[in-house]
Amino acid sequence: MDIEKELKDKVVVITGGGGILCSEMAKAFAKYKSKVAVLDLYKEKTEKVVEEIKNNGGQAIGIGANVLDKESLEKAKEIILDTFGTVDILINGAGGNHESATTSSEKTFFDLNIDDISKVFNLNFLGTVLPSQIFGKIMAEKKKGIIINISSMAAIRPLTRTIAYSAAKAAVSNFTQWLAVYMNQEYSPHIRVNAIAPGFIITDQNRYLLIDKETGDLTQRGRNVINATPMGRFGMPSDLIGIVLFLCSESASFINGAIIPVDGAFSAYSGV
Ligand code: NAD
């Protein structure tokens, strides 16, 4: 696997690229001399990532873009095509859960506001579908490309409390398989669509569930996660890099429509 040669000059679009996991991916691609477009709802979050990439001699642009807004993505596409000329790889990273769509001792399933459920569902599911339409079209036209979606352990078996997030990530896994087949049948055998399903990595979207705000200790849920993870730890953002780069390499040329757990064996463990 000559990853250096294979990733050099590839144009990589990363949504949610200002976030904890995807900024790490953006920096990894830049290290291998890819041209990286870092997209995030908050432009200021992209600027930090781009600055770091440039300081290390890499190429990147930061664009404020909303994955739920077609016009905003079309504008981003224009900027990317003007700057880098094409799109080779799309990482659909924008997503996450929100407290408002999570049950608790104070908020039962019956109290949940349907708009809050929609927001989380749409961000994770439609926020993956829409960028795949906008940037995937370039791949369909040139009959070549790679899309990586971010699913979750919540897709395999729903996690307690996170109703909308679990449903949305199950939909992301399903969509990954659907789009892989569609792209091959309708456009080209050289377009691959896969997903990674990370285990638990502490970031802004799940900290409130896993760490006690007051004490900084693990919550009961945090302890449950560790106990259900045979490797006995949370993941780190860097744990995702190997698989993402591999899926974008020629070595993965027959891997398509796969959802790959990166979870310290959480999904393999029955609890017994
Ligand atoms: P994060 O909150 O650090 O990153 C998400 C980024 O998406 C943020 O920078 C946010 O500004 C951006 N974003 C939010 N709404 C957006 C929108 N409408 N348009 C564009 N950008 C938007 O969270 P993270 O943990 O780095 O999450 C990255 C992905 O990984 C998400 O899809 C998440 O669901 C998934 N994931 C995370 C874990 C985990 O344990 N952290 C596990 C499995 C899957």
Side-chain angles (χ1 to χ4, degrees), residues 16 18-21 40-42 45 65-67 93 95-96 123 150-151 165 169 199 201 203 205-206:
I20 296 185
L21 301 185
D40 202 285
L41 187 58
Y42 305 103
K45 288 178 89 172
N66 181 353
V67 291
L123 170 62
I150 317 288
S151 184
Y165 183 71
K169 289 300 189 183
I201 301 170
T203 63
Q205 54 134 338
N206 59 19

mmCIF file with all atom_site columns, all heavy atoms in Angstrom, residues 16 18-21 40-42 45 65-67 93 95-96 123 150-151 165 169 199 201 203 205-206, ligand 1:
data_model
loop_
_atom_site.group_PDB
_atom_site.id
_atom_site.type_symbol
_atom_site.label_atom_id
_atom_site.label_alt_id
_atom_site.label_comp_id
_atom_site.label_asym_id
_atom_site.label_entity_id
_atom_site.label_seq_id
_atom_site.pdbx_PDB_ins_code
_atom_site.Cartn_x
_atom_site.Cartn_y
_atom_site.Cartn_z
_atom_site.occupancy
_atom_site.B_iso_or_equiv
_atom_site.pdbx_formal_charge
_atom_site.auth_seq_id
_atom_site.auth_comp_id
_atom_site.auth_asym_id
_atom_site.auth_atom_id
_atom_site.pdbx_PDB_model_num
ATOM   1   N N   . GLY A 1 16  ? -18.297 18.627 8.726  1.00 0.00 ? 16  GLY A N   1
ATOM   2   C CA  . GLY A 1 16  ? -18.056 18.531 10.172 1.00 0.00 ? 16  GLY A CA  1
ATOM   3   C C   . GLY A 1 16  ? -16.562 18.570 10.462 1.00 0.00 ? 16  GLY A C   1
ATOM   4   O O   . GLY A 1 16  ? -16.107 18.114 11.511 1.00 0.00 ? 16  GLY A O   1
ATOM   5   N N   . GLY A 1 18  ? -14.601 20.802 11.304 1.00 0.00 ? 18  GLY A N   1
ATOM   6   C CA  . GLY A 1 18  ? -14.123 21.592 12.443 1.00 0.00 ? 18  GLY A CA  1
ATOM   7   C C   . GLY A 1 18  ? -14.257 20.822 13.747 1.00 0.00 ? 18  GLY A C   1
ATOM   8   O O   . GLY A 1 18  ? -13.801 21.274 14.787 1.00 0.00 ? 18  GLY A O   1
ATOM   9   N N   . GLY A 1 19  ? -14.909 19.678 13.702 1.00 0.00 ? 19  GLY A N   1
ATOM   10  C CA  . GLY A 1 19  ? -15.180 18.904 14.915 1.00 0.00 ? 19  GLY A CA  1
ATOM   11  C C   . GLY A 1 19  ? -13.986 18.069 15.354 1.00 0.00 ? 19  GLY A C   1
ATOM   12  O O   . GLY A 1 19  ? -12.939 18.044 14.697 1.00 0.00 ? 19  GLY A O   1
ATOM   13  N N   . ILE A 1 20  ? -14.175 17.383 16.466 1.00 0.00 ? 20  ILE A N   1
ATOM   14  C CA  . ILE A 1 20  ? -13.052 16.674 17.098 1.00 0.00 ? 20  ILE A CA  1
ATOM   15  C C   . ILE A 1 20  ? -12.555 15.519 16.229 1.00 0.00 ? 20  ILE A C   1
ATOM   16  O O   . ILE A 1 20  ? -11.363 15.404 15.952 1.00 0.00 ? 20  ILE A O   1
ATOM   17  C CB  . ILE A 1 20  ? -13.458 16.201 18.513 1.00 0.00 ? 20  ILE A CB  1
ATOM   18  C CG1 . ILE A 1 20  ? -13.731 17.442 19.371 1.00 0.00 ? 20  ILE A CG1 1
ATOM   19  C CG2 . ILE A 1 20  ? -12.353 15.327 19.135 1.00 0.00 ? 20  ILE A CG2 1
ATOM   20  C CD1 . ILE A 1 20  ? -14.019 17.190 20.819 1.00 0.00 ? 20  ILE A CD1 1
ATOM   21  N N   . LEU A 1 21  ? -13.454 14.672 15.762 1.00 0.00 ? 21  LEU A N   1
ATOM   22  C CA  . LEU A 1 21  ? -13.001 13.505 14.989 1.00 0.00 ? 21  LEU A CA  1
ATOM   23  C C   . LEU A 1 21  ? -12.565 13.899 13.580 1.00 0.00 ? 21  LEU A C   1
ATOM   24  O O   . LEU A 1 21  ? -11.542 13.428 13.066 1.00 0.00 ? 21  LEU A O   1
ATOM   25  C CB  . LEU A 1 21  ? -14.118 12.452 14.912 1.00 0.00 ? 21  LEU A CB  1
ATOM   26  C CG  . LEU A 1 21  ? -14.623 11.910 16.260 1.00 0.00 ? 21  LEU A CG  1
ATOM   27  C CD1 . LEU A 1 21  ? -15.627 10.789 16.048 1.00 0.00 ? 21  LEU A CD1 1
ATOM   28  C CD2 . LEU A 1 21  ? -13.459 11.417 17.109 1.00 0.00 ? 21  LEU A CD2 1
ATOM   29  N N   . ASP A 1 40  ? -17.660 23.165 7.703  1.00 0.00 ? 40  ASP A N   1
ATOM   30  C CA  . ASP A 1 40  ? -18.334 23.080 9.000  1.00 0.00 ? 40  ASP A CA  1
ATOM   31  C C   . ASP A 1 40  ? -19.382 24.179 9.061  1.00 0.00 ? 40  ASP A C   1
ATOM   32  O O   . ASP A 1 40  ? -19.241 25.228 8.418  1.00 0.00 ? 40  ASP A O   1
ATOM   33  C CB  . ASP A 1 40  ? -17.329 23.227 10.168 1.00 0.00 ? 40  ASP A CB  1
ATOM   34  C CG  . ASP A 1 40  ? -17.858 22.638 11.471 1.00 0.00 ? 40  ASP A CG  1
ATOM   35  O OD1 . ASP A 1 40  ? -18.732 23.272 12.117 1.00 0.00 ? 40  ASP A OD1 1
ATOM   36  O OD2 . ASP A 1 40  ? -17.433 21.520 11.834 1.00 0.00 ? 40  ASP A OD2 1
ATOM   37  N N   . LEU A 1 41  ? -20.408 23.932 9.848  1.00 0.00 ? 41  LEU A N   1
ATOM   38  C CA  . LEU A 1 41  ? -21.450 24.948 10.049 1.00 0.00 ? 41  LEU A CA  1
ATOM   39  C C   . LEU A 1 41  ? -20.819 26.239 10.573 1.00 0.00 ? 41  LEU A C   1
ATOM   40  O O   . LEU A 1 41  ? -21.263 27.335 10.261 1.00 0.00 ? 41  LEU A O   1
ATOM   41  C CB  . LEU A 1 41  ? -22.480 24.391 11.049 1.00 0.00 ? 41  LEU A CB  1
ATOM   42  C CG  . LEU A 1 41  ? -23.743 25.199 11.290 1.00 0.00 ? 41  LEU A CG  1
ATOM   43  C CD1 . LEU A 1 41  ? -24.524 25.423 9.999  1.00 0.00 ? 41  LEU A CD1 1
ATOM   44  C CD2 . LEU A 1 41  ? -24.633 24.486 12.308 1.00 0.00 ? 41  LEU A CD2 1
ATOM   45  N N   . TYR A 1 42  ? -19.792 26.086 11.395 1.00 0.00 ? 42  TYR A N   1
ATOM   46  C CA  . TYR A 1 42  ? -19.130 27.249 11.972 1.00 0.00 ? 42  TYR A CA  1
ATOM   47  C C   . TYR A 1 42  ? -17.788 27.463 11.292 1.00 0.00 ? 42  TYR A C   1
ATOM   48  O O   . TYR A 1 42  ? -16.844 26.718 11.528 1.00 0.00 ? 42  TYR A O   1
ATOM   49  C CB  . TYR A 1 42  ? -18.943 27.045 13.486 1.00 0.00 ? 42  TYR A CB  1
ATOM   50  C CG  . TYR A 1 42  ? -20.253 26.748 14.171 1.00 0.00 ? 42  TYR A CG  1
ATOM   51  C CD1 . TYR A 1 42  ? -20.584 25.453 14.564 1.00 0.00 ? 42  TYR A CD1 1
ATOM   52  C CD2 . TYR A 1 42  ? -21.196 27.764 14.372 1.00 0.00 ? 42  TYR A CD2 1
ATOM   53  C CE1 . TYR A 1 42  ? -21.809 25.176 15.159 1.00 0.00 ? 42  TYR A CE1 1
ATOM   54  C CE2 . TYR A 1 42  ? -22.418 27.489 14.965 1.00 0.00 ? 42  TYR A CE2 1
ATOM   55  C CZ  . TYR A 1 42  ? -22.723 26.196 15.348 1.00 0.00 ? 42  TYR A CZ  1
ATOM   56  O OH  . TYR A 1 42  ? -23.940 25.918 15.925 1.00 0.00 ? 42  TYR A OH  1
ATOM   57  N N   . LYS A 1 45  ? -14.521 27.417 13.185 1.00 0.00 ? 45  LYS A N   1
ATOM   58  C CA  . LYS A 1 45  ? -13.936 26.119 13.581 1.00 0.00 ? 45  LYS A CA  1
ATOM   59  C C   . LYS A 1 45  ? -13.034 25.567 12.468 1.00 0.00 ? 45  LYS A C   1
ATOM   60  O O   . LYS A 1 45  ? -12.048 24.896 12.730 1.00 0.00 ? 45  LYS A O   1
ATOM   61  C CB  . LYS A 1 45  ? -15.057 25.103 13.898 1.00 0.00 ? 45  LYS A CB  1
ATOM   62  C CG  . LYS A 1 45  ? -15.778 25.387 15.198 1.00 0.00 ? 45  LYS A CG  1
ATOM   63  C CD  . LYS A 1 45  ? -16.890 24.398 15.457 1.00 0.00 ? 45  LYS A CD  1
ATOM   64  C CE  . LYS A 1 45  ? -16.441 23.168 16.203 1.00 0.00 ? 45  LYS A CE  1
ATOM   65  N NZ  . LYS A 1 45  ? -17.599 22.309 16.600 1.00 0.00 ? 45  LYS A NZ  1
ATOM   66  N N   . ALA A 1 65  ? -20.311 25.843 5.832  1.00 0.00 ? 65  ALA A N   1
ATOM   67  C CA  . ALA A 1 65  ? -21.371 25.231 5.018  1.00 0.00 ? 65  ALA A CA  1
ATOM   68  C C   . ALA A 1 65  ? -22.268 24.384 5.906  1.00 0.00 ? 65  ALA A C   1
ATOM   69  O O   . ALA A 1 65  ? -21.791 23.706 6.814  1.00 0.00 ? 65  ALA A O   1
ATOM   70  C CB  . ALA A 1 65  ? -20.764 24.356 3.922  1.00 0.00 ? 65  ALA A CB  1
ATOM   71  N N   . ASN A 1 66  ? -23.560 24.451 5.599  1.00 0.00 ? 66  ASN A N   1
ATOM   72  C CA  . ASN A 1 66  ? -24.553 23.700 6.369  1.00 0.00 ? 66  ASN A CA  1
ATOM   73  C C   . ASN A 1 66  ? -24.954 22.457 5.573  1.00 0.00 ? 66  ASN A C   1
ATOM   74  O O   . ASN A 1 66  ? -25.470 22.566 4.456  1.00 0.00 ? 66  ASN A O   1
ATOM   75  C CB  . ASN A 1 66  ? -25.765 24.608 6.601  1.00 0.00 ? 66  ASN A CB  1
ATOM   76  C CG  . ASN A 1 66  ? -26.852 23.922 7.416  1.00 0.00 ? 66  ASN A CG  1
ATOM   77  O OD1 . ASN A 1 66  ? -26.774 22.723 7.704  1.00 0.00 ? 66  ASN A OD1 1
ATOM   78  N ND2 . ASN A 1 66  ? -27.868 24.679 7.769  1.00 0.00 ? 66  ASN A ND2 1
ATOM   79  N N   . VAL A 1 67  ? -24.731 21.277 6.139  1.00 0.00 ? 67  VAL A N   1
ATOM   80  C CA  . VAL A 1 67  ? -25.027 20.032 5.410  1.00 0.00 ? 67  VAL A CA  1
ATOM   81  C C   . VAL A 1 67  ? -26.523 19.822 5.175  1.00 0.00 ? 67  VAL A C   1
ATOM   82  O O   . VAL A 1 67  ? -26.906 18.898 4.459  1.00 0.00 ? 67  VAL A O   1
ATOM   83  C CB  . VAL A 1 67  ? -24.447 18.781 6.121  1.00 0.00 ? 67  VAL A CB  1
ATOM   84  C CG1 . VAL A 1 67  ? -22.941 18.757 6.054  1.00 0.00 ? 67  VAL A CG1 1
ATOM   85  C CG2 . VAL A 1 67  ? -24.948 18.648 7.553  1.00 0.00 ? 67  VAL A CG2 1
ATOM   86  N N   . GLY A 1 93  ? -18.861 13.748 7.759  1.00 0.00 ? 93  GLY A N   1
ATOM   87  C CA  . GLY A 1 93  ? -18.577 13.707 9.192  1.00 0.00 ? 93  GLY A CA  1
ATOM   88  C C   . GLY A 1 93  ? -19.524 14.503 10.062 1.00 0.00 ? 93  GLY A C   1
ATOM   89  O O   . GLY A 1 93  ? -19.619 14.248 11.266 1.00 0.00 ? 93  GLY A O   1
ATOM   90  N N   . GLY A 1 95  ? -22.457 15.591 12.199 1.00 0.00 ? 95  GLY A N   1
ATOM   91  C CA  . GLY A 1 95  ? -23.477 14.792 12.865 1.00 0.00 ? 95  GLY A CA  1
ATOM   92  C C   . GLY A 1 95  ? -23.309 14.899 14.354 1.00 0.00 ? 95  GLY A C   1
ATOM   93  O O   . GLY A 1 95  ? -22.462 15.651 14.834 1.00 0.00 ? 95  GLY A O   1
ATOM   94  N N   . GLY A 1 96  ? -24.129 14.148 15.068 1.00 0.00 ? 96  GLY A N   1
ATOM   95  C CA  . GLY A 1 96  ? -24.019 14.148 16.520 1.00 0.00 ? 96  GLY A CA  1
ATOM   96  C C   . GLY A 1 96  ? -25.383 14.084 17.177 1.00 0.00 ? 96  GLY A C   1
ATOM   97  O O   . GLY A 1 96  ? -26.421 14.215 16.517 1.00 0.00 ? 96  GLY A O   1
ATOM   98  N N   . LEU A 1 123 ? -30.012 15.951 10.938 1.00 0.00 ? 123 LEU A N   1
ATOM   99  C CA  . LEU A 1 123 ? -28.585 16.289 10.867 1.00 0.00 ? 123 LEU A CA  1
ATOM   100 C C   . LEU A 1 123 ? -27.776 15.048 10.485 1.00 0.00 ? 123 LEU A C   1
ATOM   101 O O   . LEU A 1 123 ? -26.926 15.091 9.594  1.00 0.00 ? 123 LEU A O   1
ATOM   102 C CB  . LEU A 1 123 ? -28.096 16.852 12.211 1.00 0.00 ? 123 LEU A CB  1
ATOM   103 C CG  . LEU A 1 123 ? -26.574 17.014 12.324 1.00 0.00 ? 123 LEU A CG  1
ATOM   104 C CD1 . LEU A 1 123 ? -26.047 17.999 11.273 1.00 0.00 ? 123 LEU A CD1 1
ATOM   105 C CD2 . LEU A 1 123 ? -26.168 17.481 13.730 1.00 0.00 ? 123 LEU A CD2 1
ATOM   106 N N   . ILE A 1 150 ? -20.123 8.283  8.476  1.00 0.00 ? 150 ILE A N   1
ATOM   107 C CA  . ILE A 1 150 ? -19.811 7.950  9.867  1.00 0.00 ? 150 ILE A CA  1
ATOM   108 C C   . ILE A 1 150 ? -21.090 7.410  10.527 1.00 0.00 ? 150 ILE A C   1
ATOM   109 O O   . ILE A 1 150 ? -22.026 8.168  10.806 1.00 0.00 ? 150 ILE A O   1
ATOM   110 C CB  . ILE A 1 150 ? -19.286 9.162  10.677 1.00 0.00 ? 150 ILE A CB  1
ATOM   111 C CG1 . ILE A 1 150 ? -18.270 9.992  9.867  1.00 0.00 ? 150 ILE A CG1 1
ATOM   112 C CG2 . ILE A 1 150 ? -18.676 8.682  12.008 1.00 0.00 ? 150 ILE A CG2 1
ATOM   113 C CD1 . ILE A 1 150 ? -16.925 9.400  9.645  1.00 0.00 ? 150 ILE A CD1 1
ATOM   114 N N   . SER A 1 151 ? -21.100 6.119  10.730 1.00 0.00 ? 151 SER A N   1
ATOM   115 C CA  . SER A 1 151 ? -22.201 5.496  11.450 1.00 0.00 ? 151 SER A CA  1
ATOM   116 C C   . SER A 1 151 ? -21.829 5.459  12.932 1.00 0.00 ? 151 SER A C   1
ATOM   117 O O   . SER A 1 151 ? -21.070 6.325  13.401 1.00 0.00 ? 151 SER A O   1
ATOM   118 C CB  . SER A 1 151 ? -22.457 4.104  10.875 1.00 0.00 ? 151 SER A CB  1
ATOM   119 O OG  . SER A 1 151 ? -23.587 3.528  11.496 1.00 0.00 ? 151 SER A OG  1
ATOM   120 N N   . TYR A 1 165 ? -30.806 9.750  17.501 1.00 0.00 ? 165 TYR A N   1
ATOM   121 C CA  . TYR A 1 165 ? -29.436 9.494  17.029 1.00 0.00 ? 165 TYR A CA  1
ATOM   122 C C   . TYR A 1 165 ? -29.303 8.033  16.593 1.00 0.00 ? 165 TYR A C   1
ATOM   123 O O   . TYR A 1 165 ? -28.739 7.736  15.543 1.00 0.00 ? 165 TYR A O   1
ATOM   124 C CB  . TYR A 1 165 ? -28.462 9.817  18.165 1.00 0.00 ? 165 TYR A CB  1
ATOM   125 C CG  . TYR A 1 165 ? -27.002 9.680  17.809 1.00 0.00 ? 165 TYR A CG  1
ATOM   126 C CD1 . TYR A 1 165 ? -26.389 10.588 16.952 1.00 0.00 ? 165 TYR A CD1 1
ATOM   127 C CD2 . TYR A 1 165 ? -26.227 8.648  18.333 1.00 0.00 ? 165 TYR A CD2 1
ATOM   128 C CE1 . TYR A 1 165 ? -25.041 10.480 16.631 1.00 0.00 ? 165 TYR A CE1 1
ATOM   129 C CE2 . TYR A 1 165 ? -24.888 8.522  18.014 1.00 0.00 ? 165 TYR A CE2 1
ATOM   130 C CZ  . TYR A 1 165 ? -24.296 9.445  17.164 1.00 0.00 ? 165 TYR A CZ  1
ATOM   131 O OH  . TYR A 1 165 ? -22.965 9.323  16.842 1.00 0.00 ? 165 TYR A OH  1
ATOM   132 N N   . LYS A 1 169 ? -28.465 6.904  12.787 1.00 0.00 ? 169 LYS A N   1
ATOM   133 C CA  . LYS A 1 169 ? -27.226 6.201  12.420 1.00 0.00 ? 169 LYS A CA  1
ATOM   134 C C   . LYS A 1 169 ? -27.558 4.852  11.775 1.00 0.00 ? 169 LYS A C   1
ATOM   135 O O   . LYS A 1 169 ? -26.831 4.396  10.889 1.00 0.00 ? 169 LYS A O   1
ATOM   136 C CB  . LYS A 1 169 ? -26.321 6.037  13.636 1.00 0.00 ? 169 LYS A CB  1
ATOM   137 C CG  . LYS A 1 169 ? -25.696 7.353  14.107 1.00 0.00 ? 169 LYS A CG  1
ATOM   138 C CD  . LYS A 1 169 ? -24.823 8.014  13.039 1.00 0.00 ? 169 LYS A CD  1
ATOM   139 C CE  . LYS A 1 169 ? -24.035 9.194  13.583 1.00 0.00 ? 169 LYS A CE  1
ATOM   140 N NZ  . LYS A 1 169 ? -23.226 9.892  12.562 1.00 0.00 ? 169 LYS A NZ  1
ATOM   141 N N   . GLY A 1 199 ? -16.681 3.305  18.031 1.00 0.00 ? 199 GLY A N   1
ATOM   142 C CA  . GLY A 1 199 ? -17.158 3.075  19.391 1.00 0.00 ? 199 GLY A CA  1
ATOM   143 C C   . GLY A 1 199 ? -17.243 4.418  20.092 1.00 0.00 ? 199 GLY A C   1
ATOM   144 O O   . GLY A 1 199 ? -17.491 5.446  19.456 1.00 0.00 ? 199 GLY A O   1
ATOM   145 N N   . ILE A 1 201 ? -16.014 7.683  21.770 1.00 0.00 ? 201 ILE A N   1
ATOM   146 C CA  . ILE A 1 201 ? -14.877 8.602  21.837 1.00 0.00 ? 201 ILE A CA  1
ATOM   147 C C   . ILE A 1 201 ? -15.429 9.880  22.465 1.00 0.00 ? 201 ILE A C   1
ATOM   148 O O   . ILE A 1 201 ? -16.441 10.408 21.981 1.00 0.00 ? 201 ILE A O   1
ATOM   149 C CB  . ILE A 1 201 ? -14.343 8.890  20.407 1.00 0.00 ? 201 ILE A CB  1
ATOM   150 C CG1 . ILE A 1 201 ? -13.928 7.575  19.748 1.00 0.00 ? 201 ILE A CG1 1
ATOM   151 C CG2 . ILE A 1 201 ? -13.186 9.889  20.465 1.00 0.00 ? 201 ILE A CG2 1
ATOM   152 C CD1 . ILE A 1 201 ? -13.612 7.681  18.268 1.00 0.00 ? 201 ILE A CD1 1
ATOM   153 N N   . THR A 1 203 ? -16.363 13.340 22.977 1.00 0.00 ? 203 THR A N   1
ATOM   154 C CA  . THR A 1 203 ? -16.350 14.613 22.247 1.00 0.00 ? 203 THR A CA  1
ATOM   155 C C   . THR A 1 203 ? -17.508 15.461 22.783 1.00 0.00 ? 203 THR A C   1
ATOM   156 O O   . THR A 1 203 ? -18.229 15.026 23.685 1.00 0.00 ? 203 THR A O   1
ATOM   157 C CB  . THR A 1 203 ? -16.510 14.396 20.725 1.00 0.00 ? 203 THR A CB  1
ATOM   158 O OG1 . THR A 1 203 ? -17.787 13.808 20.475 1.00 0.00 ? 203 THR A OG1 1
ATOM   159 C CG2 . THR A 1 203 ? -15.425 13.503 20.144 1.00 0.00 ? 203 THR A CG2 1
ATOM   160 N N   . GLN A 1 205 ? -20.394 16.109 21.712 1.00 0.00 ? 205 GLN A N   1
ATOM   161 C CA  . GLN A 1 205 ? -21.773 15.624 21.579 1.00 0.00 ? 205 GLN A CA  1
ATOM   162 C C   . GLN A 1 205 ? -22.148 14.545 22.594 1.00 0.00 ? 205 GLN A C   1
ATOM   163 O O   . GLN A 1 205 ? -23.320 14.256 22.776 1.00 0.00 ? 205 GLN A O   1
ATOM   164 C CB  . GLN A 1 205 ? -21.986 15.117 20.154 1.00 0.00 ? 205 GLN A CB  1
ATOM   165 C CG  . GLN A 1 205 ? -20.962 14.091 19.737 1.00 0.00 ? 205 GLN A CG  1
ATOM   166 C CD  . GLN A 1 205 ? -21.593 12.900 19.056 1.00 0.00 ? 205 GLN A CD  1
ATOM   167 O OE1 . GLN A 1 205 ? -22.753 12.610 19.220 1.00 0.00 ? 205 GLN A OE1 1
ATOM   168 N NE2 . GLN A 1 205 ? -20.801 12.206 18.266 1.00 0.00 ? 205 GLN A NE2 1
ATOM   169 N N   . ASN A 1 206 ? -21.178 13.911 23.239 1.00 0.00 ? 206 ASN A N   1
ATOM   170 C CA  . ASN A 1 206 ? -21.543 12.830 24.178 1.00 0.00 ? 206 ASN A CA  1
ATOM   171 C C   . ASN A 1 206 ? -20.971 13.007 25.583 1.00 0.00 ? 206 ASN A C   1
ATOM   172 O O   . ASN A 1 206 ? -21.240 12.223 26.472 1.00 0.00 ? 206 ASN A O   1
ATOM   173 C CB  . ASN A 1 206 ? -21.125 11.457 23.609 1.00 0.00 ? 206 ASN A CB  1
ATOM   174 C CG  . ASN A 1 206 ? -19.623 11.366 23.346 1.00 0.00 ? 206 ASN A CG  1
ATOM   175 O OD1 . ASN A 1 206 ? -18.853 12.145 23.875 1.00 0.00 ? 206 ASN A OD1 1
ATOM   176 N ND2 . ASN A 1 206 ? -19.219 10.413 22.532 1.00 0.00 ? 206 ASN A ND2 1
HETATM 177 P P1  . NAD B 2 .   ? -18.140 17.097 17.008 1.00 0.00 ? 1   NAD B P1  1
HETATM 178 O O1  . NAD B 2 .   ? -19.345 17.745 17.614 1.00 0.00 ? 1   NAD B O1  1
HETATM 179 O O2  . NAD B 2 .   ? -16.794 17.418 17.553 1.00 0.00 ? 1   NAD B O2  1
HETATM 180 O O3  . NAD B 2 .   ? -18.113 17.347 15.434 1.00 0.00 ? 1   NAD B O3  1
HETATM 181 C C1  . NAD B 2 .   ? -19.259 17.524 14.651 1.00 0.00 ? 1   NAD B C1  1
HETATM 182 C C2  . NAD B 2 .   ? -19.038 18.756 13.785 1.00 0.00 ? 1   NAD B C2  1
HETATM 183 O O4  . NAD B 2 .   ? -20.169 18.886 12.901 1.00 0.00 ? 1   NAD B O4  1
HETATM 184 C C3  . NAD B 2 .   ? -18.965 20.050 14.597 1.00 0.00 ? 1   NAD B C3  1
HETATM 185 O O5  . NAD B 2 .   ? -17.787 20.772 14.282 1.00 0.00 ? 1   NAD B O5  1
HETATM 186 C C4  . NAD B 2 .   ? -20.206 20.822 14.188 1.00 0.00 ? 1   NAD B C4  1
HETATM 187 O O6  . NAD B 2 .   ? -20.015 22.235 14.171 1.00 0.00 ? 1   NAD B O6  1
HETATM 188 C C5  . NAD B 2 .   ? -20.460 20.268 12.799 1.00 0.00 ? 1   NAD B C5  1
HETATM 189 N N1  . NAD B 2 .   ? -21.863 20.445 12.392 1.00 0.00 ? 1   NAD B N1  1
HETATM 190 C C6  . NAD B 2 .   ? -22.968 20.350 13.173 1.00 0.00 ? 1   NAD B C6  1
HETATM 191 N N2  . NAD B 2 .   ? -24.056 20.612 12.448 1.00 0.00 ? 1   NAD B N2  1
HETATM 192 C C7  . NAD B 2 .   ? -23.641 20.871 11.196 1.00 0.00 ? 1   NAD B C7  1
HETATM 193 C C8  . NAD B 2 .   ? -24.301 21.235 9.987  1.00 0.00 ? 1   NAD B C8  1
HETATM 194 N N3  . NAD B 2 .   ? -25.635 21.371 9.938  1.00 0.00 ? 1   NAD B N3  1
HETATM 195 N N4  . NAD B 2 .   ? -23.552 21.444 8.880  1.00 0.00 ? 1   NAD B N4  1
HETATM 196 C C9  . NAD B 2 .   ? -22.204 21.314 8.912  1.00 0.00 ? 1   NAD B C9  1
HETATM 197 N N5  . NAD B 2 .   ? -21.525 20.992 10.027 1.00 0.00 ? 1   NAD B N5  1
HETATM 198 C C10 . NAD B 2 .   ? -22.232 20.769 11.148 1.00 0.00 ? 1   NAD B C10 1
HETATM 199 O O7  . NAD B 2 .   ? -18.445 15.541 17.116 1.00 0.00 ? 1   NAD B O7  1
HETATM 200 P P2  . NAD B 2 .   ? -17.590 14.279 16.692 1.00 0.00 ? 1   NAD B P2  1
HETATM 201 O O8  . NAD B 2 .   ? -17.692 13.342 17.826 1.00 0.00 ? 1   NAD B O8  1
HETATM 202 O O9  . NAD B 2 .   ? -16.269 14.664 16.170 1.00 0.00 ? 1   NAD B O9  1
HETATM 203 O O10 . NAD B 2 .   ? -18.513 13.701 15.527 1.00 0.00 ? 1   NAD B O10 1
HETATM 204 C C11 . NAD B 2 .   ? -18.128 13.461 14.195 1.00 0.00 ? 1   NAD B C11 1
HETATM 205 C C12 . NAD B 2 .   ? -19.017 12.353 13.639 1.00 0.00 ? 1   NAD B C12 1
HETATM 206 O O11 . NAD B 2 .   ? -18.702 11.117 14.289 1.00 0.00 ? 1   NAD B O11 1
HETATM 207 C C13 . NAD B 2 .   ? -20.509 12.563 13.870 1.00 0.00 ? 1   NAD B C13 1
HETATM 208 O O12 . NAD B 2 .   ? -21.237 12.096 12.763 1.00 0.00 ? 1   NAD B O12 1
HETATM 209 C C14 . NAD B 2 .   ? -20.794 11.687 15.059 1.00 0.00 ? 1   NAD B C14 1
HETATM 210 O O13 . NAD B 2 .   ? -22.143 11.307 15.140 1.00 0.00 ? 1   NAD B O13 1
HETATM 211 C C15 . NAD B 2 .   ? -19.886 10.516 14.739 1.00 0.00 ? 1   NAD B C15 1
HETATM 212 N N6  . NAD B 2 .   ? -19.590 9.613  15.849 1.00 0.00 ? 1   NAD B N6  1
HETATM 213 C C16 . NAD B 2 .   ? -18.997 10.059 16.998 1.00 0.00 ? 1   NAD B C16 1
HETATM 214 C C17 . NAD B 2 .   ? -18.730 9.155  18.004 1.00 0.00 ? 1   NAD B C17 1
HETATM 215 C C18 . NAD B 2 .   ? -18.088 9.579  19.283 1.00 0.00 ? 1   NAD B C18 1
HETATM 216 O O14 . NAD B 2 .   ? -17.993 8.742  20.193 1.00 0.00 ? 1   NAD B O14 1
HETATM 217 N N7  . NAD B 2 .   ? -17.634 10.805 19.410 1.00 0.00 ? 1   NAD B N7  1
HETATM 218 C C19 . NAD B 2 .   ? -19.057 7.807  17.861 1.00 0.00 ? 1   NAD B C19 1
HETATM 219 C C20 . NAD B 2 .   ? -19.659 7.387  16.686 1.00 0.00 ? 1   NAD B C20 1
HETATM 220 C C21 . NAD B 2 .   ? -19.920 8.297  15.685 1.00 0.00 ? 1   NAD B C21 1
#
